Amino acid sequence: MFITLLDTESHRIFIWTADIFVGAGSAKPNTPPLKNGNDLRESGYLIAVGSRTSRFRRKYKKRIPFLVIIIIFILLLLAFIIISILYALAIHRKPVRTCRSRECLRSAANLALSMDLNADPCENFYQFVCGNWGSDHPRPDAYRSYDWFRDKQTKVYSIVRDFLNRNSSHQPKPVLQAKDMYRACMNTKELDKRGLKPVITILESLGLPPFPTFINVTEDFDYSAYTFDWLETVIKVKTQIGMDVLIGFDIYTDPKNSSVYRLIMGSPETTNPFPSTHTERKRHRRHFNDLKSYIKEATDFLSKMEHKSSKSDEEDEKVAEILKIFYAELMKLFVLEADGLKSSKLSEIELDQNVILAASEYFETNRDLYDLETDNTTSELESSDDAGYLIIPDYTVDEIQAHTDAVVESNNGTASPIWKKYLEGLFNISNTVLDFETDKILVSEPDLRYMSLMAAYVSKTPPVVLELYIWVKVVEVMSVHTTTELRNLFQRAYEQSHADDSVPPRSLHCANAVNDMMGMAVSYGIADRHFINVTKPKVITMIEELKDSLAHLVGQARWMDDNTKIATYQKIIEMKSLIGFPDWLLEEGKLDEYYEGIEIDSDKHLENLIKINQVKTRNVLNRFRGVNNFSWATDPTEVNAYHTFQENTITVPMVMLQHPFYDLGLDSLNYGSLGTVLGHEITHGFDNFGRQFDKNGNMLPWWSNSTIDSFVNMTQCFVDQYSSYYVPELDDHIDGKQTLGENIADNGGLREALAALKHHLKRRGPEPKLPGFEKLTPEQLFFLSYGNLWCGVSTRDSLKADLEDEHSPQQFRARGALQNSAEFARAWDCPPGSKMNPSKRCIIF
């Protein structure tokens, strides 16, 4: 038993321990009687707690300093270890850097303003990246669609305009001529003063009357007795203004030997040799060079409007009426200019009736001849060998004549010699003499059919109608470069066919015209002198990394046999690149050599255009016997990039090496934008069409048959994927077969650029963070940059045009390639089965 006592005065606690009996029959002696607390203490039964603690303190008093020293030592040791670890981490882990350069800040702002953060990147990445792009980049009225390519091209024209407006005397002659040409274009007062006389003078030199004879301003005109040498006029049109009418002709490098040139004939290709008032958006595309005859690009917009297959019957009829009125008004203006009414025995009402009849006749003739072209086209691979390589036949001029004569006679027409006379007429202005026994002409099967049916059609068409047809074709492309009245007439017809379009400012139109006709001279004036030493080496490095990436991807491809892989490596190694502008551009005297023979008058705009075309035509004819020097495929001021198959070369103009395609501040952004563009062009050398040209640019079999079979089977995945893309605005789908080559290039370019970026960052080290995007990885920034590349706004009409193009519409170019990228799904942590992380992917390279 324990009794605890509390001494409140001394604050001590005492415990009274009673006797305890343990076990049976045993006990301690009885406790003697105790009188007070002292007795208890003395007896040992009462123990003071304080007293015991004192003894403990005395016992360990000497040990306390030692313990304190140990604890302090341990704490110091721990602090030393922690500081050492932090120091080691500080050495091996540099602090996060944020890029604050002008380029980074601009790129960050551009991405932030374009993005729609409410969109799910795994469901609709295009909306996520570009959802607000349109509000930040409103579409100008002059364009049916607006994107980065057009935005940049418009700014280039503004830069060109400002340069051409500046006075300067210490420039090469061609640069001064470009400025004179711009002044002539801008001098609308002089253009109005001269009226239509310049056009009438040119018509006379071509063997054409001031207005069509078909109008018949006299009552006693005998159509049956009228004669007209249509072939002689067609020759003059080609040699004097560089335009194809009825017959298409050019000189290209030999498909099987890219070092020499060949003659090519077919349907008209250069239907408008002058700069267009409405410059259609130039798509990011490959450059066919010697195969342009297979893919026609009509620049005559009115002719294109006549034949839009996507239009309904009601729309067709509306457009037909618009065009007939346009042609009637055009012809009547020339009748009035030439004082046709003075010699006319017709009343003005009767004259108007004749003019309307002439417009209708031209419209029908134009439609007939256009149908001869379109009804005889075939796909590129219809004329091919067993391995799928194109076969381009060549013929002597006599063989072509014999073939077309047979077709003419079978169509109840009267055959006449055409082709030899045509070629002789062209080369009369050159230093070249043709040998018709050995100089064979390349003519595709569709073009040969056109030439035969055209000859049959012409043989049965009255001469007065042929004259009408040629007259309107020529005047149509020249008239817009004359008076304000004719420009307005032209513009009204265009706006009635394009409700959402308007004419661009005159200054930009003239800047475009000068840039189109004298692009190298303009490039000299705006070229960055530091480009060669600063930008170009970086782009060369990027291209080499992209080529290495493609070679690595080819090495992983199981569908290619070893021999084809080796040939592919060789082609990659031999692939050349033209970057920025020609090396000779800034060399003294070289620009004068390039434009030798061109003379410009600051008061004669139309004549300036014609003189330039005459020199260009003569130079093309003179190069026939020469050796291909692999010249530039485009001017340095064009916002585009090209792959020239027959030269195994990619061309990257200098304006593509600036914002928004390059110089974005971070490598992840540069590789996501320009890197994918360059990868696109590199891949074109091995896509559905480019694979037919070997490392020297010759159309010779270099893939094995088994590899081609595997390739064709794999392409079906892309055809099915892109054909499934639905365009709700048009209630239509993309043509996956038509866009196959470009889709393969898009996908290959993306994979190559991403692999090149990873290699680049591994070699160079981590890059800084982008302001406002610090949480994103370089891979995520790469994909953001790629998606942003295709931001744009479109109207319904522009989407119609996109569906007829060999490229997919903008948003599907981004969507398709990213859906096929497993790296994209990992970077954005997209769950399996989401739109941007499908279970099936299409991959070739």
Side-chain angles (χ1 to χ4, degrees):
M1 170 179 175
F2 297 90
I3 297 177
T4 303
L5 301 178
L6 174 63
D7 184 350
T8 57
E9 293 181 0
S10 63
H11 302 290
R12 294 180 179 179
I13 298 174
F14 300 93
I15 301 175
W16 187 5
T17 306
D19 293 333
I20 300 176
F21 294 91
V22 181
S26 65
K28 291 183 178 182
N30 291 334
T31 303
L34 303 175
K35 298 179 180 180
N36 50 43
N38 291 329
D39 291 334
L40 291 172
R41 285 191 289 272
E42 291 175 359
S43 66
Y45 287 100
L46 198 62
I47 300 174
V49 175
S51 173
R52 188 173 181 179
T53 302
S54 298
R55 287 197 300 271
F56 176 83
R57 286 175 179 173
R58 286 194 300 269
K59 182 178 180 180
Y60 293 101
K61 184 175 181 181
K62 296 181 179 180
R63 297 183 181 181
I64 289 176
F66 179 74
L67 292 174
V68 170
I69 292 172
I70 292 177
I71 292 172
I72 293 173
F73 176 77
I74 293 173
L75 292 175
L76 289 174
L77 180 62
L78 289 175
F80 175 77
I81 293 173
I82 293 172
I83 292 172
S84 298
I85 292 173
L86 292 176
Y87 178 75
L89 292 175
I91 292 177
H92 292 90
R93 291 186 182 178
K94 295 180 180 180
V96 176
R97 295 178 297 124
T98 301
C99 178
R100 296 292 179 182
S101 68
R102 176 176 177 271
E103 291 76 17
C104 283
L105 294 175
R106 179 178 57 189
S107 296
N110 166 61
L111 288 173
L113 292 172
S114 300
M115 295 173 68
D116 177 6
L117 298 180
N118 293 321
D120 184 351
C122 294
E123 291 298 321
N124 191 340
F125 189 72
Y126 186 80
Q127 178 66 24
F128 177 71
V129 178
C130 302
N132 291 322
W133 193 90
S135 59
D136 194 50
H137 302 82
R139 176 179 62 86
D141 292 337
Y143 303 123
R144 290 186 296 164
S145 63
Y146 201 65
D147 54 32
W148 277 125
F149 289 85
R150 173 155 275 169
D151 178 79
K152 182 62 178 180
Q153 191 68 74
T154 302
K155 290 179 180 177
V156 169
Y157 291 156
S158 299
I159 294 171
V160 171
R161 174 198 61 194
D162 295 343
F163 166 73
L164 295 173
N165 268 320
R166 290 197 297 269
N167 292 325
S168 59
S169 56
H170 302 292
Q171 298 278 5
K173 179 182 176 182
V175 177
L176 301 178
Q177 287 179 321
K179 292 176 180 285
D180 286 340
M181 185 179 176
Y182 178 77
R183 281 190 286 271
C185 180
M186 288 296 294
N187 193 352
T188 55
K189 183 178 180 180
E190 180 66 19
L191 291 173
D192 290 338
K193 178 182 176 181
R194 301 182 72 204
L196 302 182
K197 290 182 176 60
V199 178
I200 293 175
T201 301
I202 295 167
L203 289 173
E204 184 179 359
S205 70
L206 299 175
L208 291 168
F211 55 86
T213 306
F214 188 94
I215 294 176
N216 189 10
V217 296
T218 62
E219 294 179 340
D220 55 354
F221 180 79
D222 184 3
Y223 284 110
S224 62
Y226 182 74
T227 59
F228 172 67
D229 191 342
W230 69 270
L231 184 58
E232 183 65 27
T233 299
V234 165
I235 294 170
K236 290 179 179 179
V237 170
K238 180 67 173 179
T239 56
Q240 293 190 32
I241 66 176
M243 178 179 179
D244 290 335
V245 180
L246 293 175
I247 302 172
F249 170 83
D250 216 325
I251 294 176
Y252 294 128
T253 50
D254 187 348
K256 294 184 179 181
N257 182 3
S258 59
S259 64
V260 300
Y261 291 102
R262 296 292 300 275
L263 308 175
I264 287 186
M265 294 183 70
S267 55
E269 180 188 338
T270 308
T271 56
N272 185 354
F274 306 119
S276 172
T277 301
H278 295 269
T279 304
E280 294 299 322
R281 175 163 59 98
K282 295 180 178 180
R283 303 297 300 274
H284 175 57
R285 59 187 172 86
R286 51 189 165 180
H287 187 73
F288 284 86
N289 196 30
D290 60 323
L291 296 174
K292 288 182 180 178
S293 59
Y294 287 88
I295 298 179
K296 303 296 188 297
E297 293 185 6
T299 54
D300 180 347
F301 86 90
L302 292 177
S303 293
K304 287 201 291 186
M305 291 312 303
E306 293 180 38
H307 311 290
K308 287 287 186 181
S309 58
S310 60
K311 289 183 177 293
S312 64
D313 291 339
E314 183 178 349
E315 288 176 313
D316 280 337
E317 188 62 30
K318 177 183 177 182
V319 170
E321 290 305 313
I322 291 171
L323 294 174
K324 289 177 184 179
I325 292 173
F326 167 78
Y327 294 129
E329 291 180 335
L330 179 67
M331 286 185 276
K332 185 170 182 180
L333 285 175
F334 277 85
V335 171
L336 297 176
E337 179 77 14
D339 290 332
L341 284 177
K342 289 184 177 180
S343 59
S344 175
K345 298 179 181 179
L346 304 176
S347 65
E348 187 167 355
I349 294 177
E350 291 173 325
L351 177 63
D352 288 342
Q353 291 175 342
N354 283 7
V355 169
I356 292 173
L357 181 62
S360 297
E361 185 68 30
Y362 166 78
F363 186 86
E364 296 302 325
T365 303
N366 190 38
R367 174 174 287 176
D368 290 343
L369 288 166
Y370 183 88
D371 289 342
L372 293 183
E373 295 182 57
T374 56
D375 289 347
N376 289 284
T377 57
T378 66
S379 67
E380 290 172 349
L381 294 180
E382 280 188 21
S383 175
S384 59
D385 60 17
D386 293 337
Y389 286 87
L390 284 177
I391 298 174
I392 305 178
D394 57 8
Y395 308 90
T396 65
V397 69
D398 291 335
E399 289 173 337
I400 296 176
Q401 188 66 55
H403 182 87
T404 58
D405 286 350
V407 175
V408 170
E409 292 170 359
S410 67
N411 282 274
N412 300 319
T414 302
S416 61
I418 298 175
W419 313 114
K420 186 175 182 179
K421 182 179 179 181
Y422 176 81
L423 291 173
E424 287 176 335
L426 293 187
F427 279 89
N428 277 341
I429 69 168
S430 74
N431 300 325
T432 304
V433 178
L434 294 179
D435 182 345
F436 291 108
E437 295 297 325
T438 59
D439 291 329
K440 291 191 174 183
I441 306 158
L442 292 173
V443 184
S444 69
E445 291 183 9
D447 279 330
L448 185 59
R449 284 197 295 273
Y450 164 79
M451 292 166 67
S452 302
L453 294 174
M454 184 276 294
Y457 184 88
V458 167
S459 71
K460 296 185 291 184
T461 302
V464 72
V465 175
L466 291 176
E467 179 213 86
L468 169 69
Y469 174 80
I470 297 172
W471 189 96
V472 174
K473 280 290 184 186
V474 172
V475 170
E476 179 183 2
V477 298
M478 288 195 295
S479 60
V480 72
H481 300 287
T482 57
T483 66
T484 302
E485 184 177 19
L486 270 176
R487 290 197 304 275
N488 291 339
L489 175 64
F490 190 92
Q491 182 60 27
R492 281 199 305 272
Y494 188 88
E495 288 178 346
Q496 288 171 357
S497 302
H498 301 76
D500 53 358
D501 277 18
S502 63
V503 65
R506 180 71 183 177
S507 61
L508 290 185
H509 162 69
C510 290
N512 170 35
V514 177
N515 183 67
D516 193 22
M517 303 300 288
M518 298 190 70
M520 287 296 178
V522 170
S523 300
Y524 180 95
I526 65 175
D528 181 1
R529 270 36 181 194
H530 299 287
F531 169 83
I532 296 177
N533 297 323
V534 179
T535 304
K536 188 173 182 177
K538 295 180 181 179
V539 178
I540 291 175
T541 298
M542 178 185 285
I543 291 175
E544 291 304 315
E545 290 173 343
L546 290 165
K547 290 164 67 175
D548 289 343
S549 296
L550 176 58
H552 181 70
L553 294 173
V554 168
Q556 295 178 325
R558 296 183 178 180
W559 55 273
M560 300 180 79
D561 62 63
D562 291 341
N563 290 334
T564 303
K565 285 185 178 182
I566 292 174
T568 302
Y569 295 146
Q570 291 173 340
K571 183 173 180 179
I572 293 174
I573 293 171
E574 295 294 330
M575 186 176 291
K576 299 176 288 294
S577 56
L578 302 176
I579 304 171
F581 48 78
D583 294 336
W584 55 260
L585 183 64
L586 302 181
E587 295 180 15
E588 186 176 355
K590 293 295 184 179
L591 199 63
D592 296 85
E593 293 178 14
Y594 187 80
Y595 287 105
E596 185 179 0
I598 290 179
E599 296 297 332
I600 300 297
D601 190 322
S602 59
D603 292 326
K604 298 180 178 179
H605 175 52
L606 180 60
E607 289 90 332
N608 290 337
L609 300 177
I610 291 175
K611 287 177 181 178
I612 293 174
N613 281 335
Q614 288 175 353
V615 173
K616 288 183 177 180
T617 301
R618 186 167 56 251
N619 289 342
V620 168
L621 295 172
N622 284 335
R623 78 181 182 187
F624 177 58
R625 299 294 187 202
V627 177
N628 183 14
N629 60 359
F630 300 100
S631 60
W632 274 62
T634 184
D635 290 325
T637 48
E638 183 176 349
V639 181
N640 215 323
Y642 294 93
H643 184 110
T644 309
F645 293 133
Q646 280 207 271
E647 298 180 358
N648 192 24
T649 301
I650 61 172
T651 303
V652 192
M654 66 176 177
V655 293
M656 287 293 293
L657 306 178
Q658 303 167 6
H659 179 83
F661 307 107
Y662 189 67
D663 199 19
L664 304 181
L666 297 180
D667 288 327
S668 55
L669 301 178
N670 285 330
Y671 279 72
S673 185
L674 181 67
T676 58
V677 171
L678 298 181
H680 174 107
E681 298 305 332
I682 291 172
T683 307
H684 265 318
F686 312 92
D687 67 2
N688 196 44
F689 193 75
R691 67 174 175 80
Q692 300 186 52
F693 293 86
D694 66 10
K695 64 179 182 178
N696 298 314
N698 298 325
M699 189 181 286
L700 299 171
W702 60 282
W703 280 26
S704 68
N705 290 343
S706 61
T707 296
I708 292 176
D709 292 340
S710 299
F711 176 82
V712 172
N713 291 334
M714 295 177 69
T715 59
Q716 188 60 44
C717 179
F718 286 95
V719 173
D720 295 339
Q721 175 191 2
Y722 283 83
S723 295
S724 69
Y725 292 154
Y726 176 68
V727 185
E729 296 89 343
L730 303 177
D731 189 24
D732 203 352
H733 288 79
I734 295 175
D735 186 339
K737 187 175 181 180
Q738 174 181 285
T739 58
L740 177 61
E742 296 298 329
N743 296 335
I744 292 174
D746 281 344
N747 281 263
L750 179 78
R751 286 169 57 80
E752 293 157 28
L754 180 58
L757 172 66
K758 291 180 178 179
H759 174 75
H760 184 84
L761 293 180
K762 184 178 181 180
R763 185 161 50 89
R764 298 290 183 89
E767 62 181 4
K769 294 293 185 179
L770 190 68
F773 296 84
E774 289 86 355
K775 294 183 179 180
L776 298 189
T777 65
E779 287 81 5
Q780 288 176 312
L781 289 178
F782 170 89
F783 290 119
L784 278 181
S785 184
Y786 176 75
N788 187 262
L789 175 68
W790 304 114
C791 291
V793 289
S794 301
T795 62
R796 192 171 185 274
D797 282 343
S798 67
L799 282 174
K800 281 185 179 181
D802 287 345
L803 287 188
E804 296 172 2
D805 193 83
E806 59 187 353
H807 301 78
S808 298
Q810 303 283 75
Q811 60 175 307
F812 298 107
R813 296 190 72 171
R815 174 179 171 183
L818 295 179
Q819 281 182 319
N820 291 325
S821 172
E823 290 89 345
F824 171 85
R826 286 195 294 268
W828 292 96
D829 196 22
C830 294
S834 60
K835 280 189 177 181
M836 299 306 297
N837 188 10
S839 58
K840 181 180 180 181
R841 291 188 171 91
C842 303
I843 297 174
I844 292 182
F845 297 108

